Amino acid sequence: MSTVSIGLVDDHPLMIEGIVTLLSRAQGLQVVSTGSTARDVIDISSRFHPDVIIADLSMSGDVYTAITTSIKISPQTKIVAFTAATGVDSAIPALDAGANGYVLKGSSAPRTHPGC
């Protein structure tokens, strides 16, 4: 089984810590780098070429341009926009910039064990 490499960029340290902890429990996933600004999305793309970058849309810098630039640097990297914004005002620009997916921070994870 191959490992999926992940870059995680969010300007909330507690959010990053929680997601890294959650992902570290899953077999086959490895967080290779984290960051807190739009510039970090580009840096992670160029240094690590991860399989996936999960990027918050509400952080310092132009995240939409960072998404487009990252895809040019590392075309195999999939970008997932991760945000608390529920409207299309951020979803459409993220997808137009090249994001492959859009996940709301308010989403819940599927329950894997009965009674959880």
Side-chain angles (χ1 to χ4, degrees):
M1 175 160 129
S2 63
T3 299
V4 176
S5 59
I6 301 170
L8 177 60
V9 187
D10 193 299
D11 61 347
H12 293 95
L14 190 58
M15 180 65 75
I16 286 182
E17 184 178 330
I19 294 171
V20 168
T21 299
L22 181 69
L23 294 175
S24 70
R25 294 179 185 163
Q27 262 189 339
L29 301 179
Q30 178 186 18
V31 176
V32 294
S33 186
T34 62
S36 61
T37 68
R39 179 70 209 171
D40 292 332
V41 174
I42 297 167
D43 291 343
I44 290 169
S45 292
S46 62
R47 290 183 61 214
F48 298 97
H49 299 278
D51 297 311
V52 178
I53 292 179
I54 300 169
D56 181 22
L57 295 179
S58 301
M59 58 185 165
S60 176
D62 185 343
V63 179
Y64 304 112
T65 298
I67 291 170
T68 301
T69 303
S70 293
I71 292 167
K72 289 176 184 173
I73 292 169
S74 183
Q76 80 284 359
T77 299
K78 304 300 182 199
I79 308 285
V80 176
F82 187 55
T83 185
T86 58
V88 296
D89 293 342
S90 58
I92 291 173
L95 296 170
D96 284 347
N100 301 92
Y102 186 87
V103 177
L104 295 175
K105 288 184 178 181
S107 301
S108 56
R111 297 179 188 253
T112 57
H113 301 289
C116 287

